[in-house]
Amino acid sequence: MVDENTNTAGQPPEKAAIAVHEAARHHIDDGRLIRLFDHFKREWQIYVMLLPTIIWFLVFLYKPMYGLQIAFKDYSIFRGVANSPWVGIEHFHTLFANDQFIRAVKNTVTISFYNLLFGFPAPIILALMFNEILHATYKRTAQTIVYLPHFISSVIIAGIVITAFSPTAGIINTFIGWLGFEPVYFLTQPQWFRPIFVGTGIWQEAGFGSIVFLAAIAGVNPSLYESAVVDGANRWQMMWKITIPSILPTILIMLIIRIGNVMEVSFELVILLYQPATYETADVVNTWIYRQGLQSGQYDLAAAAGLFNAVVAFVLVMTANTLSRRFSRTSLW
Amino acid sequence: MSGVNLEGIVKAYGALQVVHGIDLTVAEKEFVVLVGPSGCGKSTTLRMIAGLEEITAGDLTIDGRRMNRIAPKDRDVAMVFQNYALYPHLNVADNMAFGLRIRRMPKAEIKTTIDDVAEILGLTPYLDRRPADLSGGQRQRVAMGRAIVRHPKVFLFDEPLSNLDAKLRTQMRAEIKRLHNRLGVTSVYVTHDQVEAMTLADRIVVMNDGRIEQIGTPMELFNDPANTFVAGFLGSPPMNQMKGTLTASGAKIGDAEIKIDGRVGDHAGRDVIVGIRPEHVTLSAEGPSSALPISLDLVEPLGSEALLHATHGDDSLVFKAATNGDIDHLSGVDAVHVPSHLVKLFDAETGHALNFGV
């Protein structure tokens, strides 16, 4: 007699159901693989075109991850990554006991906050302003002028800033001199570093960054504006009530990306503009890593700091994405 | 009098003139439909009335006031757009309230107005929804609601039903008609769909190439088209048009001769276009009529009636015939009978309608 709780194969019903489910899953997986293979056979040219990007990711982003393990090792370039002994989270203890590192983290967050506060809205405001320019030639000229600094190397940008703020021949101090004041040694005074750095970043990137928002504005249905005109809205009202809400999803996506880069303060520009006198406000995690890792040869400690940076950025971008998805139905993924 | 008057209205983009001096008077509470093929200037004309396009020449008056230089907001018109133009980030209530808030209407009054209009349009359950969560028909109603809440002097409709499927379009067409009967607001409606024009309009304005071809009630235009363009544009299927030559008592079309009422004999030998509506023919002689031999290509059953696709000489023709529940009897049709009083004649060169009297 067959037990009511077993099937003909002698399995209890739960196990049989699991087996059927597993078989179906494998079947689906097989189906997917077959479909992928068929797709590859049919569209192999597209996969070949994708190959350089995949190689780039593997070589420059995934292969270096192998080296991340030195953050947990007492690394020596003579012993190599594999033969260096494990030390657990000792480097992280060292990091958080280091005042300079804590200062660098604080500076990074502070500068990023100012960048977010002033630098993030700047391209949006620029795009909204460009959108209001009706004269085509004037608009093109203005756009070209503000896009230009993006194409200039950071070294040149830093040179321009240093020259402009020079206490002897800089235009700013010349102007201050005309007003009857003493010259200010801007780049040697810690309190001036952040405004100068954030301002330079805005000058360099706001124009180019406005392209994304201009594209979003171009995508707004023109009949929304026409409808508003018939309803009696003026340009200011149209900007607030139509343009900005319409580009809000783009703004949120860009904000999420920006939050993901909070720990990535422009390393090149900081290293070109700062000096020991301004470390107090200028030294960020990346410059600290550079000094510790490359200049002092503490690769393992620098790797630990880099990993910390990456984890914080990852958590921030995940949080921002989740919040954005929950409150605005817009998200990166 | 909240009528609209267009006098010699011209629209040009640089050297390119797209509307060539339109004269049109829309009476108060009248529903006028501008109809014509794409690019005929009907939407441009509507946009000039709305103030969205500048008027190059001519005079536009609304309610007796010249509007050429008046801003759209001060013309007291409301417009319903083809793609509804609903603000995606606002819910139905806020979309409808947009124009009222801009005009700084008191909040309580806005709410009452919106509730009233939502009730009329059956939108009350959807007031909190965003446009993305509505069906095409509901969005269309919101667009109309947004226009209605303003209580404007003139409604302007720019192909408002063209984004809807055929069934919904029929439904919404009836709703617009009912709404107009209820509100009695002067309306100018643009469409390229002659069925919409015929069903909605008090008067139809047929436009072609930036000019008005004919203005009249739907039945006037259907029964007495001013030219071959109007004859070919209105009616579904449109009027059959064949080249012919007038004879003593009718017109010779290829080898056939059909009788035509009126004094056509006075113009015997004149080349004309002979127009026969698809639904005017019969399959057997009924009253004064003549047989027109045809070569049947295809029978398209539509239910109660069928379309007969046929040729006569080089002319492709379409006729309508009753099916009486069966189309088998139609497959052997080799001639149709044309009632002599329903034949239309047009000048072969100008295409203008000819009327030789009875």
Side-chain angles (χ1 to χ4, degrees):
Chain A
M1 204 175 102
V2 178
D3 186 340
E4 276 185 357
N5 292 328
T6 59
N7 61 13
T8 46
Q11 285 178 313
E14 299 83 16
K15 277 195 178 175
I18 291 166
V20 168
H21 177 74
E22 282 296 303
R25 202 168 61 83
H26 283 302
H27 183 70
I28 291 166
D29 287 349
D30 290 350
R32 272 187 198 152
L33 274 177
I34 290 166
R35 274 205 305 279
L36 184 68
F37 186 68
D38 283 348
H39 193 255
F40 181 76
K41 267 206 315 199
R42 210 170 47 244
E43 311 281 357
W44 63 269
Q45 297 94 334
I46 292 173
Y47 286 94
V48 169
M49 286 162 72
L50 187 65
L51 206 58
T53 309
I54 293 174
I55 292 171
W56 186 89
F57 266 91
L58 290 175
V59 171
F60 293 104
L61 293 178
Y62 281 86
K63 188 178 169 290
M65 280 191 198
Y66 171 76
L68 271 182
Q69 59 181 294
I70 67 170
F72 304 96
K73 286 188 165 188
D74 182 14
Y75 176 69
S76 152
I77 51 170
F78 303 109
R79 287 196 295 260
V81 175
N83 295 323
S84 298
W86 292 97
V87 292
I89 57 170
E90 187 189 308
H91 296 310
F92 291 92
H93 284 298
T94 314
L95 276 181
F96 294 112
N98 185 320
D99 290 344
Q100 285 188 6
F101 177 73
I102 299 297
R103 185 184 68 188
V105 171
K106 279 182 185 166
N107 284 340
T108 306
V109 172
T110 311
I111 290 175
S112 281
F113 174 74
Y114 288 136
N115 261 335
L116 214 57
L117 192 66
F118 300 106
F120 183 70
I124 302 170
I125 293 165
L126 256 182
L128 291 170
M129 286 162 72
F130 283 141
N131 190 47
E132 297 301 317
I133 301 175
L134 299 176
H135 193 279
T137 313
Y138 178 61
K139 187 175 181 173
R140 272 200 299 273
T141 312
Q143 281 176 303
T144 308
I145 289 169
V146 296
Y147 293 167
L148 268 179
H150 169 80
F151 299 100
I152 301 171
S153 141
S154 292
V155 179
I156 309 288
I157 293 284
I160 293 170
V161 171
I162 290 165
T163 309
F165 286 95
S166 157
T168 50
I171 185 164
I172 309 291
N173 272 310
T174 306
F175 186 70
I176 288 171
W178 287 344
L179 296 175
F181 297 103
E182 288 297 308
V184 181
Y185 289 67
F186 286 104
L187 290 170
T188 58
Q189 295 182 9
Q191 72 270 28
W192 283 109
F193 180 83
R194 287 169 187 163
I196 290 172
F197 178 81
V198 172
T200 305
I202 291 171
W203 171 59
Q204 191 180 6
E205 293 300 338
F208 197 74
S210 71
I211 292 174
V212 174
F213 300 106
L214 271 173
I217 291 170
V220 179
N221 182 354
S223 60
L224 294 185
Y225 295 108
E226 289 181 342
S227 172
V229 165
V230 176
D231 277 343
N234 57 34
R235 292 189 75 89
W236 182 253
Q237 286 167 321
M238 283 191 275
M239 188 184 81
W240 279 105
K241 292 177 188 290
I242 299 172
T243 311
I244 293 177
S246 297
I247 65 167
L248 201 59
T250 308
I251 293 175
L252 283 171
I253 293 289
M254 297 307 287
L255 184 66
I256 295 168
I257 294 172
R258 188 91 178 213
I259 288 172
N261 290 331
V262 152
M263 300 304 282
E264 298 294 324
V265 173
S266 175
F267 165 76
E268 282 180 7
L269 200 58
V270 176
I271 215 151
L272 288 163
L273 288 179
Y274 84 162
Q275 49 187 290
T278 54
Y279 278 0
E280 184 188 333
T281 55
D283 191 22
V284 293
V285 174
N286 281 340
T287 48
W288 186 85
I289 291 171
Y290 169 75
R291 285 204 314 278
Q292 291 303 315
L294 291 182
Q295 292 184 333
S296 309
Q298 289 182 283
Y299 302 108
D300 41 14
L301 194 64
L307 188 60
F308 166 77
N309 229 9
V311 169
V312 171
F314 181 72
V315 169
L316 283 174
V317 83
M318 288 292 284
T319 311
N321 193 62
T322 308
L323 290 176
S324 175
R325 190 170 48 213
R326 185 167 299 171
F327 295 115
S328 72
R329 302 189 199 175
T330 304
S331 59
L332 260 180
W333 66 88
Chain B
M1 271 284 289
S2 36
V4 180
N5 191 47
L6 287 81
E7 209 176 312
I9 293 289
V10 173
K11 178 65 192 176
Y13 298 100
L16 179 69
Q17 194 165 316
V18 292
V19 175
H20 312 277
I22 280 181
D23 295 310
L24 171 68
T25 301
V26 182
E28 187 179 11
K29 297 185 179 181
E30 193 179 20
F31 199 114
V32 165
V33 175
L34 308 183
V35 67
S38 295
C40 71
K42 56 190 189 299
S43 282
T44 309
T45 305
L46 191 82
R47 291 166 62 80
M48 284 193 281
I49 299 173
L52 297 172
E53 296 278 355
E54 262 186 49
I55 296 168
T56 309
D59 284 321
L60 167 73
T61 52
I62 297 176
D63 210 8
R65 187 174 161 212
R66 192 171 185 268
M67 290 289 173
N68 289 46
R69 296 275 166 198
I70 304 293
K73 70 184 169 77
D74 299 323
R75 296 186 183 202
D76 205 2
V77 298
M79 189 157 167
V80 179
F81 291 82
Q82 183 176 356
N83 54 14
Y84 319 128
L86 300 179
Y87 306 115
H89 54 282
L90 300 180
N91 64 23
V92 170
D94 289 337
N95 259 287
M96 285 164 65
F98 186 88
L100 306 180
R101 287 196 182 124
I102 296 280
R103 282 155 201 266
R104 301 187 187 282
M105 186 189 264
K107 273 185 183 172
E109 206 177 322
I110 290 177
K111 191 178 179 321
T112 316
T113 311
I114 288 185
D115 287 347
D116 290 348
V117 173
E119 189 64 40
I120 293 172
L121 294 168
L123 287 170
T124 310
Y126 311 110
L127 284 174
D128 292 330
R129 290 203 196 165
R130 287 195 183 184
D133 303 326
L134 298 175
S135 69
Q138 288 164 343
R139 284 181 212 178
Q140 219 292 322
R141 277 204 285 269
V142 178
M144 287 205 297
R146 204 171 56 185
I148 295 168
V149 293
R150 293 250 324 271
H151 299 302
K153 280 187 188 138
V154 182
F155 278 138
L156 304 172
F157 297 90
D158 188 6
E159 308 213 27
L161 304 183
S162 56
N163 283 3
L164 302 178
D165 61 50
K167 194 178 167 190
L168 208 52
R169 205 179 304 164
T170 311
Q171 207 178 316
M172 289 306 296
R173 214 166 55 204
E175 281 194 36
I176 291 176
K177 185 82 175 172
R178 272 195 289 269
L179 212 63
H180 179 257
N181 291 340
R182 182 174 176 166
L183 301 172
V185 177
T186 311
S187 302
V188 184
Y189 187 106
V190 160
T191 180
H192 63 267
D193 182 347
Q194 52 97 16
V195 179
E196 264 176 48
M198 293 290 286
T199 50
L200 283 170
D202 293 330
R203 280 193 305 150
I204 295 176
V205 179
V206 180
M207 290 183 70
N208 183 32
D209 203 16
R211 290 182 178 84
I212 291 177
E213 296 284 350
Q214 192 175 4
I215 304 174
T217 65
M219 292 321 291
E220 277 171 7
L221 265 59
F222 184 78
N223 292 328
D224 292 307
N227 51 43
T228 49
F229 178 82
V230 178
F233 196 79
L234 294 181
S236 177
M239 183 183 277
N240 293 295
Q241 297 178 18
M242 295 164 279
K243 280 182 185 166
T245 310
L246 292 180
T247 62
S249 60
K252 196 167 172 54
I253 306 165
D255 297 335
E257 184 170 348
I258 58 166
K259 284 181 182 159
I260 301 170
D261 284 1
R263 291 195 297 272
V264 290
D266 300 348
H267 303 274
R270 181 172 176 174
D271 288 336
V272 291
I273 304 281
V274 179
I276 302 169
R277 287 263 177 223
E279 51 279 341
H280 285 165
V281 299
T282 54
L283 298 182
S284 56
E286 290 172 16
S289 61
S290 353
L292 180 70
I294 56 167
S295 172
L296 191 65
D297 286 339
L298 176 71
V299 178
E300 275 187 318
L302 301 174
S304 62
E305 52 193 16
L307 295 182
L308 309 181
H309 292 263
T311 54
H312 173 83
D314 293 336
D315 296 314
S316 292
L317 308 169
V318 181
F319 297 107
K320 268 186 187 171
T323 57
N324 300 322
D326 178 26
I327 59 164
D328 289 347
H329 67 285
L330 298 174
S331 57
V333 171
D334 57 5
V336 290
H337 292 265
V338 184
S340 57
H341 67 288
L342 293 176
V343 176
K344 299 291 167 195
L345 293 175
F346 303 94
D347 186 87
E349 278 184 21
T350 62
H352 290 149
L354 299 172
N355 190 352
F356 298 128
V358 180

